[in-house]
């Protein structure tokens, strides 16, 4: 899962203006069998953190494909964009 640093406004523009580039460079969005897809934009909150494996860290999203113990970010959802086969974009 790639981490891309964008502002919320940049995130919206990235979905519309750079979708082909996002697909080519990062393989996102991944379409489901019906053609729908979703992208979640998360806040950065100061970079990566180490998971201490306690309940206190339940707000962390960790990336197992990183070769580091410092491989988590705090879950801070900013925007959810989804596309349905009926050609409708949804923003949450």
């Amino acid at each position: 899962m790639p981490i891309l640093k964008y502002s919320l406004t940049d995130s919206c523009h990235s979905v519309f203006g750079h979708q082909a580039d996002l697909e080519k460079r990062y393989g996102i969005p991944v379409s489901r069998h019906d053609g729908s897809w979703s992208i979640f934009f998360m806040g950065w909150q100061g970079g990566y953190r180490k998971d201490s494996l306690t309940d206190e860290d339940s707000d962390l999203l960790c990336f197992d494909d990183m070769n580091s113990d410092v491989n988590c970010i705090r879950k801070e959802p900013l925007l959810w964009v989804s596309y349905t086969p009926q050609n409708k974009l949804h923003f949450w």
Side-chain angles (χ1 to χ4, degrees), residues 5-16 18 41:
K5 293 185 180 184
Y6 293 114
S7 71
L8 187 55
T9 302
D10 289 341
S11 298
C12 292
H13 290 290
S14 295
V15 171
F16 298 114
H18 303 286
F41 293 92

Side-chain angles (χ1 to χ4, degrees), residues 64-79:
D64 295 332
D65 60 343
M66 293 177 63
N67 295 326
S68 172
D69 289 343
V70 183
N71 64 340
C72 305
I73 60 170
R74 175 172 264 142
K75 293 177 189 172
E76 182 192 0
L78 300 176
L79 178 65

